Each structure stands twice: as C-alpha cells, then as structure tokens.
Amino acid sequence: MATFISVPLKKTSEVDLVKPLSKYIHNTYPSGEDQTEYCRAVEELNKLRKSAVGRPLDKHETSLETVMRYYDQLCSVEPKFPFTESQLCLTFTWKDAFDKGSIFGGSVKLALPSLGYEKTCVLFNIGALASQIASEQNLDNDEALKAASKFYQLASGAFSHIKDTVLSSLNRDPTVDISPDTVGTLSLIMLAQAQEVFFLKATRDKMKDALIAKLANQAADYYGDAFKQCQYKDTLSKYFYFQEVFPILAAKHCIMQAHAAYHQSVLAKQQKKFGEEIGRLQHASDLVKTVSSRYDEYVNVKDLADKINRALTAAKKDNDFIYHDRVPDLKDLDPIGKASLVKPTPINVPLSQKYTDLFEKMVPLAIQQCLTVYNQRRAELINATIAQMRDATTFANGVLASLNLPAAIEDVSGDSVPQSILNKSKTIIEQGGIQTIDQLIRDLPELLQRNKEILDESVKFLDEEEATDNDLKAKFKDRWQRTPSTELYKPLRSEGNNFRSVLDKAIGADAVVKERYQCHREAIAILCKPEAELNAAIPSANPAKTMQGSEVVSVLKSLLNQLDDVKKVREQLETDIKSVNFDMTTKFLTALAQDGAVNEEAISVTELDRIYGSYTFKVQENLKKQEDLINNIQTAHQEFSKMKQSNSEANLREEVLKNLAAGHDNYIELVANLKEGTKFYNDLTEILLKYQCKCSDIVFARKTERDELLKDLQQSIAREPSAPSIPQVPSYQSASSSSSTNTSVSSIPTPAPRTVFSAKQPPPRPPPPTMPSASPVPASAAQAPNPAPTTAPATDSSQPLSNTIPSQAQGPPYPTYPGYPGYYGMPMPVGYNPYMYGQQTIPPYMYQPPSGQAPYPTQHSAFSYPQQPFFPPQ
C-alpha cells in the first residue's frame, strides 16, 4: 500500500555566468583586491550552478544541500547585480518537467532573461528532489519516517512558494509545470503524503485509535482535495505523469478513509457501540473493495482488506449471537474528526545549513544606487562651490584689468615694461605660450569625432536589432511573445540622447572658447615675446608725476595685496573641498538594516551639510571680503586717476597695458578650459565605450533569445496539424476518378476496388489443338484458328476472344496507400520454366507435349480468360 508520488526534475541548458558578471564587476568596481575577490566569487558561482542543476543528481541529502546552496546564493546575488534585460541580461533556459516531447520536436521549454525565473525553476527542483528523497526512505524505522515527513513538507513548501510568487517573478506565462495550478496541486499531494507518514508512525507507535482515525481522515481529505484539483484543471490531464497520478490519488483517498473507519470502529467497540462498529467496518470494506476493483494495478490492499474482513466477520458474529445491536446507516454515523500534524515548510533564506555568501563584501544594488545618487549630489555641490569661487576670481581679474592695475601704479617712467606685465609674460611663456593653445584646439575636433562615432555605432546596434524584432513580430504576431525591443531599449535610447545632448553642448562650448581665443590672440602673442620685443610693442608716454610716495598709491598697493591674499585663500579652499572624502556605505547599510529601506535624500542632505557646511561658510565669507576690497580699489583708483597727468600717448599706453593684462587672464582661463575639455572628451570616451559595450551585450543576448524563440516556434509549428480536418472531395473529382485522363492519386487511403462479376456466363475455354505427335504442323495450320471442341457449349460469335491478361486481380480487396494503388496480378509467364511446372499435376484435358517440346503453362483456376494459341516449332 505504501505507494508514494515523486516529482521529476526540470532540466536546464548551460549558461555562462562568468563573462557577463565579471564584465559588470570590472565596469562598476575599481581595480584592486575587492574586484579580484568578486571575480573569483563569480567563478565559484558558475561552478555551483553546474553542480546543482547541470548534472544528474543522486537521491540523497547531499545533492539537495547543493541545490539549496545554489538557491540561497541566487537570493543573495539578486539584490547586488542589475539582472534586467537592459542592463545585465542573462537568459536561462529550462524544459518542462512533465512534457517529454515527441518525434517531431523536443519537449516544451522556456528561455527568459530573468533571475526570478531561474530561482523559480531551482526551487521547483528543490521540491522535486525532496519528494524523490522522501519516496526512497525505508519506512520501517522512526528515523526514516521523520525524514520522509520532513522532506515531503519541504517539497510542499517549495511548491506553495512558487504558486505565490511565480507570476510576479516572470513577465509572461510560465510553462505548465511551474504554473500556479500545477504547483498548487503538487503542494497538496506532498502535504497529503507527509500526513500519511505521520499516520504510519502513529500506527507503528500504537497510539490511540481515536488519534489514528483523525490522522487518517485528514490525510484522506488532503488526497481528495488534490484529486479534485487535478480533475478540474484541463491542462494537467494531458500529461502522462498526471494520468499515472490520478488513480493513485483516488486510491489513497479511499484507503485513508478505510483506515479512518477501521480505527474508529475499534474505538466504537471500546465504547460498547457494536452496531456502529459493524457500520464503520462495512464502510471500510466497501472502500477497500472499490480500490481492489478499480486501482489494483497501482496499489495493493490485500493485507488491509483481510484485516478489515476479519474484524467485520468477528463483529457480525458477536453482534448476531450476543449483542443484537442495531447497525446504523452510514449517513447516521457521526463524522470522524481530523487532526493535521503537517504544514508546508516556509521558504526562508538561507535554506542550506552550509551556506556562505560568496559576495558577502559586495553591497546590495539598492545601496549602490544610493551611493551613486549621493555622489551626484556631492559632485553638484562641489562643482557649484568651485564655480562660484572661480567666477569671483575671474570677476576680480576683469576689474583689475579694466583699471590697468597693478600696472598703472608700477608704470611711472612711461618707457619701461611694468613688473606685473613681465610676470604675466613669464607665466605665459612657462606654460608653452600660444603653441599650447593652438595644439589643444587642434586636438578637440579629433576627440569629438571619436566620441560621435562610438555613439553612432552604439545606436546602430539598437536600431538593427529593433528592426529585426519588429519584422519578426509582424511575421509571427501573437506567437512572438517577448518584450518588444522598442520598449526594452527606452532606457538605453534615453541615455544615448543624453550623450548626444552633452556632445552638442560641448560643441557650443568649444566654439565659445575659440571665439575668445581669437579676440585675445594678439595680446597673448605679444606677451610671448622676449622683454625687449615686449617693451617695443608697448607705446611709450611722457613720464607721469612721481607718485611713489603718495598716499593713494600706498592704499592701492595695500588693497591689491589683500586681494591677492583673498585669491590664495580661495585656491586653498578649492583644494580642501576637492580632497574631502567620506564613505556613505556604512550609513546606508545601517539605515537599510534598521528600517528595511533607505531614505537616500534625507541622509545625503544631512551628511553633505555636516561635511561641507563649514567650507560653504568660509567661501561665502571670502566672497564678501573680495566684494568690499574691489569697492575700495575702485574708489582709490578714481583718486589716483585724478592725480595722474594724462595725455593721448599715455592713454594709448594704458590701453595696451590693459589689453595685455586681459590677454594674460584669458590665456590662463583658456588653457584651463581647453585642458578640461580634453579631459572631458577622454572621460566621455570611456563612458561611451561602456555604453557601447552595454548595447552590444544586450543586442547579443537578444539575438540569442531570438534564436531560441525561433527554434521553439519552428518545433511548435511542426507539431501542429496542417489543417483542422481534411476537406471533402468534390463530386466532380469522384465522378471522374475512373477516367483514364485522371491519373492523380487521392491522399485519403481507400481500399482497392473489388472486381464486379457480371451475371452473363463467360465464354468457354477453347480446347488445346489436337495434332499428331510425329508429324509437323504446316505453316497454314499455324495461322488457322483452333477448332471448337464438340464437348464445349456453343459460343457467341459476336464476342471476340481476348488474348490479354486482366490488369486487376479478381479476389478480395487489397488496401491501397498514397503512392501504392493496390495489388495487381502479375502477367503469367509464357516462356520455359522447368522449375515451375516439374512438380505440378497437369489436368487430363490439357495438352501434353512430347518430350523435348516446351510445355504449355497451366492456367490458374482463379482467372477466367482464353487460353493462348500454341505455336509448335517448325
């Protein structure tokens, strides 16, 4: 009776996890020990998958432990890698566990780029392998009974978890084996078997009959529910697996009810309810008879039937002779109670006792995203602060250049180069002069073109694959069930459009830089000359009044020195702000552990204010101090201009000095801008290469998925019938089928036509010629027709004698097949064949030629045709 149901394992195709995961790690994490460790962990994960699902598994706990470790690792990896079609696309292919396929195509399989699909299939194998291990247990000892019950409950929990999560894990309908209906049924079956194991243990331990009856009745309910669920689901009945399971479930339902009734009868006997005892035993006997008559090939209930019949016979005998208790009807008996000692094992990670996270040091993807957003906030804050300080420096330099300071207070002779101009010229020459700017400007278009080509090539990948997907969608219509490329590539195309917009802005910025360079190129070129040529390029003027000792000059010098100090403080602040670094990983992980979620914005704003708040205050204080200094400088310069003697030559000289000072400031700024632009293009090249790699990877994954889907479609099309039914043959075809012009053969197999015999008497057989054996036959006689014998009946002279053999056999109909129209009689041989006629008995009316002459062949009795004339040798 101990027949238990186990579930077959799903089979999968090999998947390379190393290449895509390692590429993601190299692109995401900086090189170092962590990156190397993560790559080693990826290789271990790939080996673990091969061990868990890539080979046949023994029905042992060690194999189950391996599969559970792989499932735990998948759960750990899922939040740490972006397993999506648009980012990290890994396609997993699994076959239907119950569909065995046909000669026209393999079994049904499904390929999806979803880690949730992989987890679902692995969890199905956990449940299936647990059911197999439980079914292999020897139920003769307590340890095996406990193990069997544990594994059945684990299998039930695995299937129940799949039922609750499979639709949310996939973006399309699953295969039948992991559909909610199927796994729900399997979960009930496993739960029923776990309950049955507890019933067996209670029976073995000789517990109270009341408890045993309740355990058996509960098991019967579980089996009944499973059987009903199998009956109501149309998709299950077509599988051979469930066709074998149906009768077992029905038999187990009856058997467990019989056990419950038997043990309840024992309880009734103990309570002196002898009529109830007989009623329950009679019910148990009827149930066992039903199982024996319908399901005997699946379960053996001989021992149980004998036990029940013995008890029933003894109870009837005692009641007939002693108690005379009335036997109630079955409907009048109190229902037997139920006691469930089993429940599906909840699926809580980790399932394995030996699990160790291979990616323990890798932060979850949610934390990575929070860190990315935090770094963006931090970069925006730093860039805004630094830009504010640089704008202030540019503004101060512009004001000083417009006032010709400090050259104005240094140029007292009127014919020598001011020291500040010499310092500016030296600075420009040290940085490479005008050649540096020319070279940087020449490099920009090449860098720009390289980035544009990478971006265009990346978008081209997407366009070509999307066009192919649209064509296949138009061709197969509803059969083409996968995420459309148009929808899948939206994030990538949005990212590509952002890159395109960035490049357009960079082109505009390059144009502005070139325009500024052309405006100040002449002044920069003058500053690049030696001191003598520089002095010659500056117009001379009459010496100004000696104002070296004046109070105004002293005030201006003091203010300019203070302004230089403010600029130096800003430079130091910029260095300090750039060097500040704070790891937010711990903060985010703590928040995730405490609250289960991370409020990135609140945490980031608080931490950025704490870290950079003091620097922001210092920057604002510095800018306010510069504003006061510039106002004082402008006021002092007005007094200085009033005191300074001016003329046309002096004004021209002052204008040239202003242009030279402005040329220096613009040179410094242009070089910085061009270097930043070159760095920007080089950094953008790396980003675009990653973008191109991402586009290439997803296109390759989509092509692989497309090939798998096309293969499945071809197999499904091959399995489908060409037409729902063969159309009826038109009447004109059947009417002309006997015509000699119609030589086509019908595709419908039909029997060969039966020869129709007419009621008219066939013509008589002509006798053989009578000739003397010794004399030869004259030539004229050879041409004469054979004389009719006197014994033969008269023949109709109007009917010519036929000398041909019928083309159709006269006899039973022989079936025909396409390309084989049926059996036809072979022409009778007319040549000499000594092996054929040597052993035959020649009828007395047949002509017997003398020795040495060719015999006339014997005519078959089944054929009616005239005998051919004989022409003896001359």
Side-chain angles (χ1 to χ4, degrees):
M1 198 275 294
T3 301
F4 289 96
I5 300 168
S6 61
V7 182
L9 295 171
K10 288 176 71 69
K11 295 181 180 179
T12 183
S13 301
E14 185 176 355
V15 178
D16 182 18
L17 301 177
V18 176
K19 184 178 178 181
L21 295 183
S22 297
K23 183 182 291 186
Y24 172 80
I25 290 171
H26 284 295
N27 293 337
T28 306
Y29 297 94
S31 57
E33 293 182 3
D34 289 344
Q35 187 186 90
T36 305
E37 184 176 350
Y38 296 156
C39 291
R40 282 198 298 266
V42 168
E43 294 176 358
E44 290 297 323
L45 178 63
N46 196 54
K47 292 178 183 177
L48 182 59
R49 186 181 194 274
K50 291 180 179 179
S51 300
V53 298
R55 63 182 180 88
L57 296 175
D58 297 330
K59 298 176 183 179
H60 196 269
E61 289 187 51
T62 54
S63 299
L64 182 61
E65 189 73 23
T66 302
V67 183
M68 290 194 297
R69 273 201 304 125
Y70 178 58
Y71 179 80
D72 292 337
Q73 194 60 64
L74 288 177
C75 295
S76 171
V77 164
E78 187 175 21
K80 298 180 181 180
F81 288 91
F83 289 102
T84 60
E85 290 186 75
S86 59
Q87 290 180 292
L88 191 56
C89 185
L90 283 173
T91 302
F92 300 97
T93 305
W94 288 82
K95 294 182 179 180
D96 192 314
F98 304 129
D99 188 275
K100 302 304 179 184
S102 65
I103 60 173
F104 300 106
S107 60
V108 175
K109 61 183 178 180
L110 178 62
L112 288 180
S114 167
L115 191 71
Y117 176 56
E118 173 84 349
K119 286 172 54 183
T120 299
C121 295
V122 173
L123 187 58
F124 181 93
N125 274 9
I126 290 175
L129 187 57
S131 72
Q132 294 177 13
I133 295 172
S135 300
E136 291 292 319
Q137 298 295 319
N138 182 8
L139 302 181
D140 292 336
N141 59 79
D142 289 346
E143 293 299 324
L145 288 169
K146 291 179 182 178
S149 177
K150 181 185 74 172
F151 288 125
Y152 279 134
Q153 291 179 79
L154 173 61
S156 178
F159 294 133
S160 178
H161 186 80
I162 295 173
K163 177 186 176 182
D164 297 336
T165 60
V166 62
L167 295 181
S168 60
S169 299
L170 311 183
N171 57 1
R172 56 161 294 173
D173 294 335
T175 50
V176 176
D177 57 343
I178 58 174
S179 65
D181 292 342
T182 305
V183 292
T185 303
L186 294 176
S187 178
L188 272 177
I189 294 173
M190 297 300 115
L191 201 62
Q193 295 186 149
Q195 179 77 10
E196 183 181 353
V197 170
F198 270 103
F199 159 76
L200 294 175
K201 188 176 188 310
T203 305
R204 178 182 299 278
D205 294 345
K206 297 181 179 179
M207 293 184 178
K208 293 182 179 180
D209 290 285
L211 176 60
I212 297 176
K214 291 179 180 179
L215 292 175
N217 198 31
Q218 182 65 67
D221 263 17
Y222 285 146
Y223 279 119
D225 292 343
F227 180 75
K228 291 176 184 177
Q229 196 157 337
C230 285
Q231 279 187 319
Y232 296 153
K233 306 304 178 184
D234 297 335
T235 55
L236 303 183
S237 58
K238 68 178 182 178
Y239 286 106
F240 178 77
Y241 172 82
F242 284 99
Q243 293 173 5
E244 293 288 318
V245 166
F246 289 162
I248 297 177
L249 294 178
K252 287 289 192 77
H253 175 62
C254 294
I255 291 171
M256 298 312 296
Q257 280 187 324
H259 277 294
Y262 173 79
H263 287 280
Q264 193 69 20
S265 72
V266 175
L267 182 62
K269 183 178 180 180
Q270 294 171 358
Q271 296 173 351
K272 308 298 183 180
K273 298 177 181 178
F274 303 107
E276 179 182 345
E277 176 192 7
I278 295 174
R280 295 198 183 276
L281 286 173
Q282 186 62 53
H283 178 50
S285 178
D286 293 341
L287 289 169
V288 172
K289 287 178 182 178
T290 302
V291 174
S292 298
S293 60
R294 297 183 182 180
Y295 312 114
D296 187 51
E297 59 179 310
Y298 298 99
V299 292
N300 182 9
V301 291
K302 185 176 183 303
D303 295 339
L304 177 61
D306 293 343
K307 182 172 69 171
I308 293 174
N309 290 331
R310 286 195 303 269
L312 179 60
T313 302
K316 284 183 176 180
K317 183 178 179 181
D318 292 343
N319 192 54
D320 291 342
F321 286 96
I322 302 174
Y323 307 113
H324 303 289
D325 197 2
R326 186 183 69 85
V327 178
D329 293 336
L330 179 63
K331 62 182 180 180
D332 296 332
L333 295 175
D334 294 334
I336 303 173
K338 300 172 186 176
S340 177
L341 298 182
V342 296
K343 63 179 180 179
T345 302
I347 303 301
N348 297 322
V349 178
L351 295 176
S352 172
Q353 303 272 340
K354 304 176 182 178
Y355 168 69
T356 53
D357 190 0
L358 298 174
F359 299 88
E360 184 177 4
K361 294 184 178 180
M362 183 181 288
V363 296
L365 190 62
I367 303 300
Q368 296 180 29
Q369 294 172 349
C370 291
L371 289 173
T372 301
V373 177
Y374 165 77
N375 289 330
Q376 291 176 353
R377 295 181 189 275
R378 174 176 172 271
E380 290 174 359
L381 176 62
I382 292 175
N383 292 336
T385 305
I386 292 176
Q388 191 178 15
M389 292 190 293
R390 289 182 178 179
D391 290 342
T393 301
T394 302
F395 176 75
N397 291 337
V399 171
L400 294 181
S402 66
L403 300 178
N404 193 23
L405 293 174
I409 59 177
E410 295 172 352
D411 185 28
V412 292
S413 61
D415 56 358
S416 61
V417 181
Q419 185 61 39
S420 60
I421 299 298
L422 290 176
N423 293 337
K424 288 178 171 57
S425 174
K426 182 180 178 182
T427 301
I428 291 176
I429 293 173
E430 287 177 352
Q431 294 191 17
I434 201 169
Q435 291 81 8
T436 300
I437 293 184
D438 290 339
Q439 183 61 42
L440 290 172
I441 290 178
R442 281 195 298 269
D443 292 342
L444 288 181
E446 181 180 350
L447 298 174
L448 173 64
Q449 184 63 26
R450 181 180 63 185
N451 288 330
K452 290 178 66 176
E453 289 176 355
I454 295 173
L455 181 58
D456 292 341
E457 188 69 21
S458 303
V459 175
K460 183 180 178 183
F461 288 156
L462 303 180
D463 292 340
E464 291 177 351
E465 200 283 326
E466 184 175 330
T468 304
D469 183 70
N470 292 336
D471 293 342
L472 291 172
K473 178 66 175 177
K475 179 179 180 181
F476 292 104
K477 294 182 172 53
D478 294 338
R479 289 176 177 268
W480 195 249
Q481 295 182 353
R482 71 167 185 170
T483 306
S485 297
T486 306
E487 180 180 343
L488 182 63
Y489 294 157
K490 282 182 180 179
L492 288 174
R493 292 197 179 277
S494 176
E495 192 175 356
N497 293 334
N498 290 337
F499 289 137
R500 188 84 62 187
S501 175
V502 168
L503 287 177
D504 292 340
K505 291 180 181 179
I507 294 172
D510 293 344
V512 172
V513 170
K514 291 178 183 178
E515 184 179 355
R516 286 180 57 194
Y517 174 59
Q518 293 301 325
C519 293
H520 298 279
R521 191 176 191 284
E522 184 178 355
I524 296 172
I526 294 173
L527 290 172
C528 292
K529 296 179 179 181
E531 183 177 352
E533 297 181 12
L534 178 60
N535 191 17
I538 301 175
S540 60
N542 293 329
K545 293 181 179 180
T546 303
M547 295 183 293
Q548 289 294 101
S550 67
E551 185 179 355
V552 175
V553 172
S554 300
V555 170
L556 281 174
K557 286 184 178 181
S558 175
L559 293 173
L560 291 175
N561 290 334
Q562 292 179 38
L563 186 60
D564 288 339
D565 293 339
V566 169
K567 290 179 183 179
K568 291 178 181 178
V569 170
R570 276 204 299 269
E571 291 176 359
Q572 186 61 41
L573 280 174
E574 180 176 342
T575 303
D576 294 342
I577 290 174
K578 287 181 178 179
S579 62
V580 172
N581 193 12
F582 183 76
D583 187 10
M584 290 289 293
T585 305
T586 305
K587 287 279 185 182
F588 289 138
L589 285 174
T590 303
L592 182 64
Q594 291 177 351
D595 305 332
V598 181
N599 188 349
E600 180 275 328
E601 183 177 2
I603 297 175
S604 296
V605 170
T606 303
E607 289 300 314
L608 288 174
D609 184 64
R610 182 183 66 82
I611 297 169
Y612 295 99
S614 59
Y615 292 102
T616 303
F617 177 76
K618 291 178 182 179
V619 168
Q620 296 301 323
E621 191 178 44
N622 182 276
L623 295 178
K624 183 67 172 65
K625 186 175 182 179
Q626 174 180 292
E627 183 180 355
D628 295 340
L629 286 173
I630 288 178
N631 291 333
N632 295 334
I633 288 172
Q634 289 175 335
T635 302
H637 183 268
Q638 289 177 359
E639 296 181 8
F640 174 77
S641 297
K642 292 177 183 179
M643 296 173 58
K644 187 176 180 181
Q645 186 180 7
S646 62
N647 51 44
S648 59
E649 293 179 354
N651 292 336
L652 179 60
R653 179 181 175 84
E654 186 173 354
E655 188 67 26
V656 171
L657 292 176
K658 288 181 181 180
N659 291 337
L660 292 177
H664 166 266
D665 295 338
N666 279 277
Y667 177 85
I668 299 299
E669 189 173 350
L670 286 171
V671 170
N673 291 338
L674 289 171
K675 287 183 177 180
E676 285 182 1
T678 302
K679 184 178 183 300
F680 163 77
Y681 282 126
N682 288 328
D683 294 344
L684 184 61
T685 299
E686 295 182 7
I687 296 174
L688 288 175
L689 286 174
K690 292 180 180 179
Y691 175 73
Q692 184 186 38
C693 186
K694 188 190 301 184
C695 293
S696 176
D697 288 345
I698 191 174
V699 167
F700 177 78
R702 293 283 286 180
K703 286 181 178 178
T704 304
E705 182 186 9
R706 179 189 68 198
D707 295 341
E708 290 286 339
L709 189 55
L710 279 174
K711 184 178 178 182
D712 293 343
L713 282 175
Q714 291 169 356
Q715 292 179 353
S716 63
I717 291 173
R719 286 193 291 262
E720 292 178 356
S722 301
S725 62
I726 299 176
Q728 185 176 2
V729 179
S731 58
Y732 73 87
Q733 292 186 8
S734 59
S736 60
S737 60
S738 60
S739 175
S740 59
T741 59
N742 186 8
T743 58
S744 62
V745 180
S746 174
S747 61
I748 306 175
T750 56
R754 186 187 299 272
T755 303
V756 179
F757 294 93
S758 61
K760 187 191 299 184
Q761 190 72 16
R765 183 194 310 274
T770 56
M771 299 178 64
S773 59
S775 61
V777 179
S780 60
Q783 303 297 330
N786 296 331
T790 58
T791 59
T795 60
D796 188 0
S797 60
S798 63
Q799 293 184 359
L801 298 177
S802 174
N803 293 329
T804 61
I805 300 174
S807 61
Q808 173 68 43
Q810 300 179 5
Y814 294 92
T816 63
Y817 305 96
Y820 177 64
Y823 174 83
Y824 290 91
M826 297 298 294
M828 295 299 294
V830 295
Y832 172 67
N833 187 351
Y835 299 101
M836 182 174 180
Y837 306 107
Q839 304 297 329
Q840 288 184 348
T841 302
I842 301 177
Y845 62 85
M846 293 292 291
Y847 167 69
Q848 300 183 19
S851 177
Q853 292 187 3
Y856 192 84
T858 304
Q859 186 175 359
H860 198 280
S861 60
F863 297 96
S864 175
Y865 61 91
Q867 191 166 6
Q868 298 185 9
F870 173 71
F871 301 100
Q874 302 297 325

